[in-house]
């Protein structure tokens, strides 16, 4: 099917982009990499009368790292993140997660802002945003506002963004040195959307027990979210086989996936627990001086 007819603008500022969105409220859509929007237009699931291209807006593709954390401009592409040496130390979990996004051609065009606004529960970045307590900077006709990532996603393909608002930046808090972390996902073929995935980080207290556990889920809930019961099963515990099994069981229970032709809901629930086990094993493998007997690997 061909696209329905649309007008096209490529403004030079974010303020002008927002003004254009407001001038055709509900009929205009931003376009960044086009990797999610163009397929929906090709199927005529979306028929915007006006496309507002963000490609000429300066600084929107900036990656900044510093003591306050990492800032990713909305037009930052997956490839920019992959190519960033600074992110290897400034945010290793983000860097690892983005390695799993789609195929090279898509990573060459797809962007941070497009992924957040599209709000599919399967992609990696929204999960990293929620897991790491990121904040999303949004610009609308009344000015800027900051939205916590955990409040941004309402459900599949649904966010708190108004029709005349655009994302400017994703802000991730500073990554703490020595933090234990892992990212695990499973898809049928490399580059496919994950059937399920887990983003994990935690710290160790003075007694070597888990503290500050953050467990986020990819694709196995109705929106990008953390698994509170799994985090509770970890916090304050030594990371031994019993703790890992309890956290995995909690994750299986808490996951709320939808079944489709790729995998049933039951399979995705089971997979979520297994991936958390793997993530914990992977993260603990980075620990020094802690040995574990794992009987369920
Ligand atoms: P667009 O397609 O340009 O826009 C998507 C939506 O975001 C539109 O509604 C648009 O109006 C809105 N938008 C764009 N920019 C802004 C902004 N600054 N502010 C507000 N709204 C904005 N993604 C993954 O994460 N993991 C995967 O494994 C994966 N696999 C894929 C496989 C295939 C075959 C395809 C086609 C895509 C896949 N994707 C995957 C999606 C891809 O990463 C897209 O890049 C991403 O979903 C959207 O980014 P985009 O820049 O292309 O956005």
């Amino acid at each position: 099917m061909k696209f329905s007819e649309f007008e096209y603008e490529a403004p030079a500022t974010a303020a002008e982009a927002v003004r254009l969105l407001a001038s055709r409220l509900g009929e205009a859509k931003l376009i960044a990499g086009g990797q999610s929007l163009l397929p929906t237009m090709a199927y005529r699931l979306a028929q915007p009368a006006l496309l507002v291209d963000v490609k000429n807006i300066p600084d929107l593709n900036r990656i900044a790292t510093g003591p306050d954390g990492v800032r990713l401009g909305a037009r930052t592409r997956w490839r920019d993140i992959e190519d960033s040496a600074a992110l290897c130390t400034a945010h290793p979990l983000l860097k690892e997660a983005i390695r799993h996004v789609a195929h090279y051609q898509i990573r060459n065009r797809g962007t941070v802002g497009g992924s957040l606004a599209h709000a599919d529960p399967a992609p990696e970045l929204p999960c990293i945003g929620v897991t790491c307590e990121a904040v999303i900077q949004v610009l609308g006709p009344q000015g800027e506002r900051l939205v916590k990532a955990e409040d941004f996603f309402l459900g599949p393909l649904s966010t708190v963004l108004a029709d005349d608002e655009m994302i400017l930046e994703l802000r991730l808090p500073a990554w703490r040195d020595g933090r234990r972390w892992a990212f695990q996902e499973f898809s049928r073929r490399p580059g496919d959307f994950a059937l399920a995935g887990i983003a994990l980080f935690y710290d160790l207290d003075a007694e070597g027990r888990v503290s500050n556990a953050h467990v986020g889920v990819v694709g196995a809930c109705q929106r990008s979210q953390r698994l509170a019961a799994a985090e509770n099963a970890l916090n304050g515990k030594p990371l031994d086989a019993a703790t890992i099994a309890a956290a995995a069981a909690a994750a299986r229970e808490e996951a709320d996936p939808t079944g489709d032709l790729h995998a049933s809901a039951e399979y995705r629930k089971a997979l979520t627990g297994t991936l958390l086990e793997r993530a914990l094993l992977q993260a603990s493998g980075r620990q020094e001086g802690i040995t574990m007997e794992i009987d369920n690997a």
Side-chain angles (χ1 to χ4, degrees):
M1 211 183 275
K2 289 183 182 162
F3 301 145
S4 57
E5 215 168 278
F6 58 87
E7 292 168 49
Y8 174 86
E9 299 273 0
T13 64
E16 178 61 5
V18 165
R19 196 195 60 73
L20 285 164
L21 292 177
S23 71
R24 305 282 287 273
L25 203 59
E27 293 186 343
K29 276 195 106 40
L30 294 169
I31 181 162
Q35 298 302 295
S36 295
L37 181 58
L38 293 180
T40 58
M41 286 173 63
Y43 284 111
R44 298 214 176 179
L45 296 170
Q47 300 188 39
L50 171 64
L51 283 187
V52 180
D53 198 329
V54 298
K55 70 179 180 186
N56 292 333
I57 301 174
D59 291 339
L60 221 50
N61 58 348
R62 213 162 63 100
I63 297 177
T65 60
D68 293 341
V70 171
R71 292 179 172 209
L72 302 173
R75 212 179 66 236
T76 306
R77 299 168 305 161
W78 308 130
R79 184 180 148 193
D80 303 324
I81 295 173
E82 275 183 292
D83 288 351
S84 165
L87 286 175
C88 294
T89 47
H91 214 293
L93 179 59
L94 167 73
K95 184 100 176 165
E96 172 65 17
I98 297 312
R99 224 171 47 76
H100 295 264
V101 172
H103 308 275
Y104 182 79
Q105 292 84 345
I106 292 163
R107 293 204 301 275
N108 209 28
R109 296 200 66 93
T111 66
V112 164
S115 178
L116 296 172
H118 191 58
D120 189 321
E124 290 77 4
L125 185 75
C127 169
I128 294 297
V130 169
T131 307
C132 298
E133 301 185 48
V135 167
I136 297 169
Q137 184 193 20
V138 169
L139 177 69
Q142 316 307 327
E144 290 178 15
R145 64 181 177 125
L146 295 176
V147 185
K148 288 181 183 169
E150 63 173 298
D151 298 331
F152 185 81
F153 304 102
L154 298 176
L157 311 185
S158 173
T159 72
V160 298
L161 266 188
D163 285 340
D164 54 2
E165 285 185 314
M166 75 177 282
I167 296 167
L168 295 181
E169 199 171 76
L170 178 72
R171 298 179 183 174
L172 292 151
W175 186 257
R176 195 178 302 160
D177 277 347
R179 180 170 268 173
R180 318 301 172 182
W181 62 274
F183 185 86
Q184 286 279 337
E185 73 169 46
F186 181 77
S187 50
R188 293 180 66 187
R189 297 170 304 185
D192 282 1
F193 279 106
L195 296 181
I198 289 286
L200 162 78
F201 72 83
Y202 60 87
D203 299 316
L204 291 177
D205 67 16
E207 281 78 45
R209 294 170 193 272
V210 176
S211 70
N212 193 31
H214 283 58
V215 178
V217 70
V218 171
C221 282
Q222 301 303 308
R223 62 189 182 98
S224 299
Q225 66 175 72
R226 282 165 63 185
L227 297 178
E231 292 175 357
N232 289 339
L234 290 167
N235 281 324
K237 311 277 182 359
L239 195 59
D240 55 18
T243 303
I244 291 177
R252 261 179 221 115
E253 187 59 32
E254 206 171 357
D256 178 26
T258 305
D260 59 23
L261 79 167
H262 301 296
S264 66
E266 291 71 26
Y267 180 80
R268 285 174 200 254
K269 272 174 95 71
L271 187 57
T272 304
T274 302
L275 290 172
L276 179 55
E277 279 177 8
R278 288 183 191 167
L280 287 164
L281 289 169
Q282 187 188 349
S284 64
R286 294 189 173 93
Q287 292 174 198
E288 286 165 18
I290 293 188
T291 53
M292 294 189 309
E293 285 178 24
I294 303 298
D295 54 17
N296 62 346

